Amino acid sequence: MLPDITMVGYLINTKVGALFYNMGHSFVLPAMIMAIGLLTTTSIPLMAALIWLAHIFLDRALGYGLKYDDAFKKTHLQQIA
């Protein structure tokens, strides 16, 4: 278990934090890594992509969506209390 390293951008400000968080929590990068793993038949990229996707889906299930740049608790899914 690791802390969510994409939240480090919030140490700078909310705009950079939202950018880093959203880059790490969109499906584009893990899908590309999964495609590389499937095409090259190597298991390490495939496992990394599956873990990353599981993290994203768990965040979505808990209500943590992609962040807006004005506040950490304001997401595309809901306003977190």
Side-chain angles (χ1 to χ4, degrees):
M1 304 272 297
L2 293 172
D4 197 343
I5 59 173
T6 61
M7 293 177 61
V8 74
Y10 281 101
L11 296 173
I12 299 170
N13 63 33
T14 57
K15 190 170 197 153
V16 173
L19 177 68
F20 276 42
Y21 186 90
N22 291 342
M23 284 181 7
H25 288 83
S26 69
F27 295 112
V28 176
L29 293 174
M32 289 172 47
I33 293 172
M34 181 180 282
I36 290 169
L38 289 171
L39 292 173
T40 61
T41 63
T42 52
S43 61
I44 292 177
L46 187 59
M47 286 187 292
L50 289 173
I51 291 168
W52 194 351
L53 286 168
H55 172 92
I56 294 170
F57 282 116
L58 179 64
D59 278 358
R60 296 290 198 284
L62 295 175
Y64 297 103
L66 298 174
K67 307 294 184 200
Y68 290 112
D69 61 0
D70 56 344
F72 175 76
K73 293 186 175 192
K74 191 174 181 184
T75 73
H76 82 288
L77 296 175
Q78 68 179 351
Q79 177 81 25
I80 300 169

Coordinates of all heavy atoms in Angstrom, one line a residue:
M1 N 0.8 -1.2 0.0 CA 0.0 0.0 0.0 C 0.9 1.2 0.0 O 1.7 1.4 0.9 CB -0.9 0.0 1.2 CG -1.8 -1.2 1.4 SD -3.4 -1.1 0.6 CE -4.1 0.2 1.4
L2 N 0.7 2.1 -1.0 CA 1.4 3.3 -1.1 C 0.5 4.5 -1.0 O -0.7 4.4 -1.4 CB 2.1 3.4 -2.4 CG 3.3 2.4 -2.6 CD1 3.7 2.5 -4.1 CD2 4.4 2.7 -1.7
P3 N 0.9 5.6 -0.5 CA 0.1 6.8 -0.6 C -0.1 7.2 -2.0 O 0.7 6.9 -2.9 CB 0.8 7.9 0.2 CG 2.2 7.4 0.2 CD 2.2 5.9 0.1
D4 N -1.1 8.0 -2.3 CA -1.4 8.4 -3.6 C -0.4 9.5 -4.0 O -0.6 10.7 -3.6 CB -2.9 8.9 -3.7 CG -3.4 9.0 -5.1 OD1 -2.6 9.0 -6.0 OD2 -4.6 9.0 -5.3
I5 N 0.6 9.2 -4.8 CA 1.6 10.1 -5.1 C 1.2 11.3 -6.0 O 1.8 12.3 -6.1 CB 2.9 9.4 -5.7 CG1 2.5 8.7 -7.0 CG2 3.5 8.5 -4.7 CD1 3.7 8.1 -7.7
T6 N 0.0 11.1 -6.7 CA -0.5 12.1 -7.6 C -1.0 13.3 -6.8 O -1.2 14.4 -7.4 CB -1.6 11.6 -8.5 OG1 -2.7 11.1 -7.7 CG2 -1.1 10.5 -9.4
M7 N -1.1 13.2 -5.5 CA -1.6 14.3 -4.7 C -0.5 15.3 -4.3 O -0.8 16.3 -3.7 CB -2.3 13.8 -3.4 CG -3.6 13.0 -3.8 SD -4.5 12.3 -2.4 CE -4.8 13.7 -1.4
V8 N 0.7 15.0 -4.6 CA 1.9 15.8 -4.3 C 1.7 17.2 -4.9 O 2.2 18.2 -4.4 CB 3.2 15.1 -4.6 CG1 3.5 15.1 -6.1 CG2 4.3 15.8 -3.9
G9 N 1.1 17.3 -6.0 CA 0.9 18.6 -6.7 C 0.1 19.6 -5.8 O 0.2 20.8 -6.0
Y10 N -0.7 19.1 -4.9 CA -1.5 20.0 -4.0 C -0.6 20.7 -3.0 O -1.0 21.7 -2.4 CB -2.6 19.2 -3.2 CG -3.8 19.0 -4.1 CD1 -4.0 17.7 -4.7 CD2 -4.7 20.0 -4.3 CE1 -5.1 17.5 -5.5 CE2 -5.8 19.8 -5.1 CZ -6.0 18.5 -5.7 OH -7.1 18.3 -6.5
L11 N 0.7 20.3 -2.9 CA 1.6 21.1 -2.1 C 2.0 22.4 -2.7 O 2.4 23.3 -2.1 CB 2.9 20.3 -1.9 CG 2.8 19.0 -1.1 CD1 4.1 18.2 -1.1 CD2 2.3 19.3 0.4
I12 N 1.9 22.5 -4.1 CA 2.1 23.7 -4.8 C 0.9 24.6 -4.8 O 0.9 25.7 -4.2 CB 2.6 23.4 -6.2 CG1 3.9 22.6 -6.2 CG2 2.7 24.7 -7.0 CD1 4.3 22.0 -7.5
N13 N -0.2 24.2 -5.3 CA -1.5 24.9 -5.3 C -2.6 23.9 -5.8 O -2.3 22.8 -6.3 CB -1.5 26.2 -6.0 CG -1.2 26.1 -7.5 OD1 -1.6 25.1 -8.1 ND2 -0.5 27.1 -8.1
T14 N -3.8 24.4 -5.8 CA -4.9 23.5 -6.2 C -5.0 23.3 -7.7 O -5.4 22.2 -8.1 CB -6.3 24.1 -5.7 OG1 -6.5 25.4 -6.3 CG2 -6.4 24.1 -4.2
K15 N -4.5 24.2 -8.5 CA -4.5 24.0 -9.9 C -3.5 23.0 -10.4 O -3.8 22.1 -11.1 CB -4.2 25.4 -10.6 CG -4.4 25.3 -12.1 CD -4.3 26.7 -12.7 CE -5.0 26.7 -14.0 NZ -5.5 28.0 -14.4
V16 N -2.3 23.0 -9.8 CA -1.3 22.0 -10.1 C -1.7 20.7 -9.5 O -1.5 19.6 -10.1 CB 0.1 22.4 -9.6 CG1 1.1 21.3 -9.8 CG2 0.6 23.7 -10.4
G17 N -2.2 20.7 -8.3 CA -2.7 19.5 -7.7 C -3.8 18.8 -8.5 O -3.7 17.5 -8.6
A18 N -4.7 19.5 -9.0 CA -5.8 18.9 -9.8 C -5.2 18.3 -11.1 O -5.6 17.2 -11.5 CB -6.9 19.9 -10.1
L19 N -4.3 19.0 -11.7 CA -3.7 18.5 -12.9 C -3.0 17.2 -12.7 O -3.2 16.2 -13.4 CB -2.7 19.6 -13.5 CG -1.9 19.1 -14.7 CD1 -2.9 19.0 -15.9 CD2 -0.8 20.1 -15.0
F20 N -2.1 17.1 -11.6 CA -1.4 15.9 -11.3 C -2.4 14.8 -11.0 O -2.2 13.6 -11.4 CB -0.4 16.1 -10.2 CG 0.9 16.7 -10.6 CD1 1.0 17.7 -11.5 CD2 2.1 16.2 -10.0 CE1 2.2 18.2 -11.9 CE2 3.3 16.8 -10.3 CZ 3.4 17.8 -11.3
Y21 N -3.3 15.1 -10.1 CA -4.3 14.1 -9.7 C -5.1 13.5 -10.9 O -5.2 12.3 -11.0 CB -5.3 14.7 -8.6 CG -6.2 13.7 -8.0 CD1 -5.8 13.0 -6.9 CD2 -7.4 13.4 -8.6 CE1 -6.7 12.0 -6.3 CE2 -8.3 12.5 -8.1 CZ -7.9 11.8 -6.9 OH -8.7 10.8 -6.4
N22 N -5.6 14.4 -11.7 CA -6.4 14.0 -12.9 C -5.5 13.2 -13.9 O -6.1 12.3 -14.5 CB -7.0 15.2 -13.5 CG -8.1 15.8 -12.7 OD1 -8.6 15.1 -11.7 ND2 -8.5 17.0 -12.9
M23 N -4.3 13.5 -14.1 CA -3.4 12.7 -15.0 C -3.2 11.3 -14.4 O -3.2 10.4 -15.2 CB -2.0 13.4 -15.1 CG -2.1 14.6 -16.0 SD -0.5 15.5 -16.3 CE 0.7 14.5 -15.6
G24 N -3.1 11.2 -13.1 CA -2.9 9.9 -12.5 C -4.2 9.1 -12.4 O -4.1 7.9 -12.1
H25 N -5.3 9.7 -12.5 CA -6.6 9.1 -12.3 C -7.5 9.0 -13.5 O -8.7 8.8 -13.4 CB -7.3 9.7 -11.1 CG -6.7 9.4 -9.8 ND1 -5.6 10.1 -9.3 CD2 -7.0 8.4 -8.9 CE1 -5.3 9.6 -8.1 NE2 -6.1 8.6 -7.9
S26 N -6.9 9.3 -14.7 CA -7.6 9.0 -15.9 C -7.2 7.7 -16.4 O -6.2 7.1 -16.0 CB -7.3 10.1 -16.9 OG -6.0 10.0 -17.4
F27 N -8.0 7.1 -17.3 CA -7.8 5.8 -17.8 C -6.8 5.7 -19.0 O -6.4 4.6 -19.4 CB -9.1 5.2 -18.3 CG -10.1 5.0 -17.2 CD1 -11.3 5.7 -17.1 CD2 -9.9 4.1 -16.1 CE1 -12.2 5.6 -16.1 CE2 -10.8 3.9 -15.1 CZ -11.9 4.7 -15.1
V28 N -6.3 6.8 -19.5 CA -5.5 6.8 -20.6 C -4.1 6.1 -20.4 O -3.7 5.2 -21.1 CB -5.3 8.3 -21.1 CG1 -4.3 8.3 -22.3 CG2 -6.6 8.9 -21.5
L29 N -3.4 6.6 -19.4 CA -2.0 6.0 -19.2 C -2.1 4.5 -18.8 O -1.3 3.8 -19.4 CB -1.3 6.9 -18.1 CG -0.9 8.3 -18.6 CD1 -0.3 9.1 -17.4 CD2 0.0 8.3 -19.7
P30 N -2.9 4.1 -17.9 CA -2.9 2.7 -17.6 C -3.4 1.8 -18.8 O -2.9 0.7 -18.9 CB -3.8 2.5 -16.4 CG -4.5 3.8 -16.2 CD -3.7 4.8 -16.9
A31 N -4.3 2.4 -19.6 CA -4.7 1.6 -20.8 C -3.6 1.5 -21.8 O -3.4 0.4 -22.4 CB -5.9 2.3 -21.4
M32 N -2.8 2.5 -21.9 CA -1.6 2.4 -22.8 C -0.6 1.4 -22.3 O 0.0 0.6 -23.0 CB -1.0 3.8 -23.0 CG -1.8 4.7 -23.8 SD -1.2 6.4 -23.8 CE 0.5 6.3 -24.2
I33 N -0.4 1.4 -21.0 CA 0.6 0.5 -20.4 C 0.0 -1.0 -20.5 O 0.8 -1.9 -20.8 CB 0.9 0.8 -18.9 CG1 1.6 2.2 -18.9 CG2 1.6 -0.3 -18.2 CD1 1.8 2.7 -17.5
M34 N -1.3 -1.1 -20.3 CA -1.9 -2.4 -20.5 C -1.7 -2.9 -21.9 O -1.4 -4.1 -22.2 CB -3.3 -2.4 -20.1 CG -4.0 -3.8 -20.3 SD -5.7 -3.8 -19.8 CE -5.6 -3.8 -18.1
A35 N -1.9 -2.1 -22.9 CA -1.7 -2.4 -24.3 C -0.3 -2.9 -24.6 O -0.1 -3.8 -25.3 CB -2.2 -1.3 -25.2
I36 N 0.6 -2.1 -24.0 CA 2.1 -2.5 -24.2 C 2.3 -3.9 -23.6 O 3.0 -4.7 -24.2 CB 3.0 -1.4 -23.6 CG1 2.9 -0.1 -24.4 CG2 4.4 -1.9 -23.5 CD1 3.6 1.1 -23.7
G37 N 1.8 -4.1 -22.4 CA 2.0 -5.4 -21.8 C 1.3 -6.5 -22.6 O 1.9 -7.6 -22.7
L38 N 0.2 -6.3 -23.1 CA -0.5 -7.3 -23.9 C 0.2 -7.6 -25.3 O 0.4 -8.7 -25.7 CB -1.9 -7.0 -24.2 CG -2.9 -7.0 -23.0 CD1 -4.2 -6.4 -23.3 CD2 -3.0 -8.4 -22.5
L39 N 0.7 -6.5 -25.9 CA 1.4 -6.7 -27.2 C 2.7 -7.3 -27.1 O 3.2 -8.0 -27.9 CB 1.5 -5.3 -27.9 CG 0.1 -4.7 -28.3 CD1 0.3 -3.3 -28.9 CD2 -0.5 -5.6 -29.4
T40 N 3.4 -7.0 -26.0 CA 4.8 -7.6 -25.8 C 4.8 -8.8 -25.0 O 5.8 -9.4 -24.8 CB 5.7 -6.5 -25.1 OG1 5.2 -6.2 -23.8 CG2 5.8 -5.3 -26.0
T41 N 3.6 -9.2 -24.5 CA 3.4 -10.4 -23.7 C 4.4 -10.4 -22.5 O 5.0 -11.4 -22.1 CB 3.6 -11.7 -24.5 OG1 4.9 -11.9 -25.0 CG2 2.5 -11.8 -25.5
T42 N 4.6 -9.2 -21.9 CA 5.3 -9.2 -20.6 C 4.4 -8.9 -19.5 O 3.4 -8.1 -19.6 CB 6.4 -8.0 -20.7 OG1 5.8 -6.8 -21.1 CG2 7.5 -8.4 -21.7
S43 N 4.6 -9.5 -18.4 CA 3.6 -9.5 -17.3 C 3.8 -8.2 -16.4 O 2.8 -7.8 -15.8 CB 3.7 -10.7 -16.4 OG 5.0 -10.8 -15.9
I44 N 4.9 -7.7 -16.3 CA 5.1 -6.5 -15.3 C 4.3 -5.3 -15.7 O 3.6 -4.8 -14.9 CB 6.6 -6.2 -15.1 CG1 7.3 -7.4 -14.4 CG2 6.8 -4.9 -14.4 CD1 8.7 -7.2 -14.2
P45 N 4.3 -4.9 -17.0 CA 3.4 -3.7 -17.4 C 2.0 -4.1 -17.2 O 1.2 -3.2 -16.8 CB 3.8 -3.4 -18.8 CG 5.0 -4.1 -19.1 CD 5.2 -5.2 -18.1
L46 N 1.6 -5.3 -17.5 CA 0.2 -5.7 -17.4 C -0.2 -5.7 -15.9 O -1.3 -5.2 -15.6 CB 0.0 -7.1 -18.0 CG -1.4 -7.6 -18.1 CD1 -2.2 -6.7 -19.0 CD2 -1.4 -9.0 -18.7
M47 N 0.6 -6.2 -15.0 CA 0.2 -6.2 -13.6 C 0.2 -4.7 -13.1 O -0.8 -4.4 -12.3 CB 1.3 -7.0 -12.8 CG 1.1 -8.5 -13.0 SD 2.2 -9.4 -11.9 CE 3.8 -9.0 -12.5
A48 N 1.1 -3.9 -13.5 CA 1.1 -2.5 -13.0 C -0.2 -1.8 -13.5 O -0.8 -1.0 -12.8 CB 2.4 -1.8 -13.6
A49 N -0.5 -2.0 -14.8 CA -1.7 -1.4 -15.3 C -3.0 -1.9 -14.6 O -3.9 -1.1 -14.3 CB -1.8 -1.7 -16.8
L50 N -3.1 -3.2 -14.3 CA -4.3 -3.7 -13.6 C -4.4 -3.1 -12.2 O -5.5 -2.8 -11.7 CB -4.2 -5.2 -13.6 CG -4.5 -5.9 -14.9 CD1 -4.2 -7.4 -14.8 CD2 -5.9 -5.6 -15.4
I51 N -3.2 -3.0 -11.5 CA -3.2 -2.4 -10.2 C -3.7 -1.0 -10.2 O -4.5 -0.5 -9.4 CB -1.9 -2.6 -9.5 CG1 -1.6 -4.1 -9.2 CG2 -1.8 -1.7 -8.2 CD1 -0.2 -4.4 -8.8
W52 N -3.1 -0.2 -11.2 CA -3.4 1.2 -11.4 C -4.9 1.3 -11.7 O -5.6 2.2 -11.1 CB -2.6 1.7 -12.5 CG -2.5 3.2 -12.6 CD1 -3.3 4.2 -12.0 CD2 -1.7 4.0 -13.5 NE1 -2.9 5.4 -12.3 CE2 -1.9 5.3 -13.3 CE3 -0.7 3.6 -14.4 CZ2 -1.3 6.3 -14.0 CZ3 0.0 4.6 -15.0 CH2 -0.3 6.0 -14.8
L53 N -5.5 0.5 -12.6 CA -6.9 0.6 -12.9 C -7.7 0.3 -11.7 O -8.8 0.9 -11.5 CB -7.2 -0.3 -14.1 CG -6.7 0.2 -15.4 CD1 -6.8 -0.9 -16.5 CD2 -7.5 1.4 -15.9
A54 N -7.3 -0.7 -10.9 CA -8.1 -1.1 -9.7 C -8.1 0.1 -8.7 O -9.2 0.4 -8.1 CB -7.5 -2.3 -9.0
H55 N -7.0 0.8 -8.6 CA -7.0 2.0 -7.8 C -7.9 3.1 -8.3 O -8.7 3.6 -7.5 CB -5.5 2.6 -7.8 CG -5.4 3.9 -7.1 ND1 -5.1 4.0 -5.7 CD2 -5.6 5.1 -7.5 CE1 -5.1 5.2 -5.4 NE2 -5.4 6.0 -6.4
I56 N -8.0 3.3 -9.6 CA -8.9 4.3 -10.1 C -10.3 3.9 -9.9 O -11.2 4.7 -9.5 CB -8.6 4.5 -11.6 CG1 -7.2 5.1 -11.8 CG2 -9.7 5.3 -12.3 CD1 -6.8 5.1 -13.3
F57 N -10.7 2.6 -10.1 CA -12.0 2.1 -9.9 C -12.4 2.2 -8.5 O -13.6 2.5 -8.1 CB -12.2 0.7 -10.5 CG -12.4 0.7 -12.0 CD1 -11.4 0.1 -12.8 CD2 -13.5 1.3 -12.6 CE1 -11.6 0.0 -14.2 CE2 -13.6 1.3 -14.0 CZ -12.7 0.6 -14.8
L58 N -11.5 1.9 -7.6 CA -11.8 2.0 -6.1 C -12.1 3.5 -5.7 O -13.1 3.7 -5.0 CB -10.7 1.4 -5.3 CG -10.9 1.5 -3.8 CD1 -12.1 0.7 -3.3 CD2 -9.7 1.1 -3.0
D59 N -11.3 4.4 -6.2 CA -11.5 5.8 -6.0 C -12.9 6.2 -6.5 O -13.6 6.9 -5.8 CB -10.5 6.7 -6.6 CG -9.2 6.8 -5.8 OD1 -9.2 6.2 -4.7 OD2 -8.3 7.4 -6.2
R60 N -13.3 5.8 -7.7 CA -14.6 6.1 -8.2 C -15.7 5.5 -7.4 O -16.7 6.2 -7.2 CB -14.7 5.6 -9.7 CG -13.8 6.2 -10.7 CD -14.1 7.7 -11.0 NE -13.5 8.2 -12.2 CZ -12.2 8.4 -12.4 NH1 -11.4 8.3 -11.3 NH2 -11.7 8.9 -13.5
A61 N -15.5 4.3 -6.9 CA -16.5 3.6 -6.1 C -16.7 4.4 -4.8 O -17.9 4.4 -4.3 CB -16.2 2.2 -5.9
L62 N -15.7 5.0 -4.3 CA -15.8 5.7 -3.0 C -16.2 7.1 -3.2 O -16.4 7.9 -2.2 CB -14.4 5.7 -2.3 CG -14.0 4.3 -1.8 CD1 -12.6 4.4 -1.3 CD2 -14.9 3.7 -0.8
G63 N -16.4 7.5 -4.5 CA -16.9 8.9 -4.7 C -15.9 9.9 -5.0 O -16.2 11.1 -5.2
Y64 N -14.6 9.5 -5.1 CA -13.5 10.4 -5.5 C -13.3 10.4 -7.0 O -12.7 9.5 -7.5 CB -12.2 10.0 -4.8 CG -12.3 10.0 -3.3 CD1 -12.5 8.9 -2.5 CD2 -12.3 11.3 -2.6 CE1 -12.6 8.9 -1.1 CE2 -12.4 11.3 -1.2 CZ -12.6 10.2 -0.5 OH -12.7 10.2 0.8
G65 N -13.9 11.4 -7.6 CA -13.7 11.6 -9.0 C -12.6 12.5 -9.4 O -11.7 12.8 -8.6
L66 N -12.5 12.8 -10.7 CA -11.5 13.8 -11.1 C -11.8 15.1 -10.5 O -12.9 15.6 -10.3 CB -11.6 13.9 -12.7 CG -11.3 12.6 -13.4 CD1 -11.5 12.7 -14.9 CD2 -9.9 12.1 -13.1
K67 N -10.7 15.8 -10.2 CA -10.8 17.1 -9.4 C -10.9 18.3 -10.3 O -10.4 18.4 -11.3 CB -9.5 17.2 -8.5 CG -9.2 16.0 -7.6 CD -10.2 15.8 -6.6 CE -9.8 14.7 -5.7 NZ -10.8 14.0 -5.0
Y68 N -11.7 19.2 -9.8 CA -11.7 20.6 -10.3 C -10.6 21.4 -9.7 O -10.2 21.1 -8.6 CB -13.1 21.2 -10.1 CG -14.2 20.6 -10.9 CD1 -15.2 19.9 -10.3 CD2 -14.2 20.8 -12.3 CE1 -16.2 19.3 -11.0 CE2 -15.2 20.2 -13.0 CZ -16.2 19.5 -12.4 OH -17.2 18.9 -13.2
D69 N -10.1 22.4 -10.4 CA -8.9 23.1 -9.9 C -9.2 24.2 -8.9 O -8.3 24.8 -8.3 CB -8.1 23.7 -11.1 CG -8.9 24.7 -11.9 OD1 -10.1 25.0 -11.5 OD2 -8.4 25.3 -12.8
D70 N -10.5 24.3 -8.5 CA -10.8 25.4 -7.5 C -10.8 24.8 -6.0 O -10.6 25.5 -5.1 CB -12.1 26.1 -7.8 CG -13.3 25.2 -7.9 OD1 -13.1 24.0 -8.1 OD2 -14.4 25.7 -7.9
A71 N -11.0 23.5 -5.9 CA -11.0 22.9 -4.5 C -10.8 21.4 -4.6 O -11.3 20.7 -5.6 CB -12.4 23.2 -3.9
F72 N -10.1 20.8 -3.6 CA -9.8 19.4 -3.6 C -11.1 18.6 -3.5 O -11.2 17.5 -4.1 CB -8.9 19.1 -2.5 CG -8.6 17.6 -2.3 CD1 -7.7 17.0 -3.2 CD2 -9.2 16.9 -1.3 CE1 -7.5 15.6 -3.0 CE2 -9.0 15.5 -1.2 CZ -8.1 14.9 -2.0
K73 N -12.0 19.0 -2.7 CA -13.2 18.2 -2.5 C -14.3 18.4 -3.5 O -15.4 17.8 -3.4 CB -13.8 18.6 -1.1 CG -12.9 18.2 0.0 CD -13.5 18.4 1.4 CE -12.6 17.9 2.5 NZ -13.2 17.8 3.7
K74 N -14.0 19.1 -4.6 CA -15.0 19.3 -5.7 C -14.6 18.4 -6.8 O -13.6 18.6 -7.5 CB -15.1 20.7 -6.1 CG -16.2 21.1 -7.0 CD -16.3 22.6 -7.2 CE -17.4 22.9 -8.1 NZ -17.5 24.3 -8.4
T75 N -15.4 17.3 -7.1 CA -15.0 16.4 -8.1 C -16.1 16.3 -9.2 O -17.2 16.9 -9.0 CB -14.9 15.0 -7.5 OG1 -16.1 14.4 -7.2 CG2 -14.0 15.0 -6.3
H76 N -15.8 15.6 -10.3 CA -16.8 15.5 -11.3 C -18.0 14.6 -10.9 O -19.0 14.5 -11.6 CB -16.2 15.0 -12.6 CG -15.9 13.6 -12.7 ND1 -15.0 12.9 -12.0 CD2 -16.6 12.6 -13.5 CE1 -15.0 11.6 -12.3 NE2 -16.0 11.4 -13.2
L77 N -17.8 13.8 -9.8 CA -18.9 13.0 -9.4 C -19.8 13.6 -8.3 O -21.0 13.4 -8.3 CB -18.3 11.7 -8.8 CG -17.5 10.8 -9.8 CD1 -16.9 9.6 -9.0 CD2 -18.5 10.3 -10.8
Q78 N -19.2 14.4 -7.4 CA -19.9 14.9 -6.3 C -19.1 16.0 -5.5 O -17.9 16.0 -5.8 CB -20.3 13.8 -5.3 CG -19.2 13.2 -4.6 CD -19.6 12.1 -3.6 OE1 -20.8 12.0 -3.4 NE2 -18.7 11.4 -3.1
Q79 N -19.7 16.7 -4.7 CA -19.0 17.6 -3.7 C -18.8 16.7 -2.5 O -19.7 16.3 -1.8 CB -19.8 18.8 -3.4 CG -19.2 19.7 -2.4 CD -18.2 20.6 -3.0 OE1 -18.2 20.9 -4.2 NE2 -17.3 21.1 -2.2
I80 N -17.5 16.5 -2.1 CA -17.2 15.6 -1.0 C -17.3 16.5 0.3 O -16.8 17.6 0.4 CB -15.7 15.1 -1.1 CG1 -15.6 14.2 -2.4 CG2 -15.4 14.2 0.1 CD1 -14.2 13.9 -2.7
A81 N -18.0 15.9 1.3 CA -18.3 16.7 2.5 C -17.1 16.7 3.4 O -16.2 15.9 3.4 CB -19.5 16.1 3.2

